[in-house]
Amino acid sequence: MLYTSYIAKLNKLPLYITKVIISRFPPKWLDISKYNKLYIMKELALSRELLLQYKKDNNWDNYVNRFTYEMNNRMDMKKKINSLLGFLQKGNGVILICFEKEYTHCHRYLLAQYFVKQGIQWKEYTD
């Protein structure tokens, strides 16, 4: 099962599920060694150019198109997506984590939608 959440909930997430931060720049305060099953996959973060463009124009449709393009064409991202898909298909649970509180306008949502199309169950972690 795939879950998504945001960084402010990190300390409330279950210890037994693999947690993956998908941000290009993890929080400076984060000491990854203090968390069980926590990893950072910068490869699943949007490009710097896309982030800056979205901050500038706040155009969600353009963001979706460009991030989808990145998922399909950035080799580093494609490799991590395929690796994560294999991990999920083996029945492992994963929580994708980024900075955005509102998941419906976030790249974790777009990644989750990709995995749903591959047959993976998904939900935003709200507990």
Side-chain angles (χ1 to χ4, degrees), residues 25-119:
F25 302 105
K28 292 180 182 179
W29 54 262
L30 180 65
D31 180 356
I32 196 167
S33 68
K34 292 184 179 181
Y35 294 89
N36 186 39
K37 299 177 92 174
L38 177 65
Y39 304 93
I40 298 171
M41 287 188 185
K42 295 179 181 183
E43 298 89 350
L44 296 181
L46 59 149
S47 66
R48 182 177 185 275
E49 297 77 22
L50 178 51
L51 177 62
L52 293 174
Q53 183 64 45
Y54 186 59
K55 284 184 176 187
K56 180 180 175 183
D57 66 17
N58 201 32
N59 183 327
W60 178 246
D61 292 333
N62 184 51
Y63 180 92
V64 170
N65 289 335
R66 290 189 58 195
F67 188 73
T68 301
Y69 179 84
E70 289 188 6
M71 284 194 299
N72 292 321
N73 294 284
R74 267 187 38 208
M75 291 310 293
D76 64 329
M77 187 180 286
K78 285 176 63 171
K79 184 176 179 182
K80 285 296 180 183
I81 287 172
N82 289 333
S83 174
L84 192 55
L85 179 59
F87 188 73
L88 288 162
Q89 288 173 331
K90 291 178 183 173
N92 297 298
V94 173
I95 304 174
L96 299 180
I97 304 166
C98 68
F99 284 100
E100 291 296 322
K101 182 177 182 179
E102 179 52 52
Y103 73 91
T104 60
H105 279 78
C106 175
H107 76 295
R108 75 177 183 265
Y109 174 78
L110 301 175
L111 284 164
Q113 293 303 305
Y114 172 83
F115 288 113
V116 166
K117 289 177 183 173
Q118 306 307 312

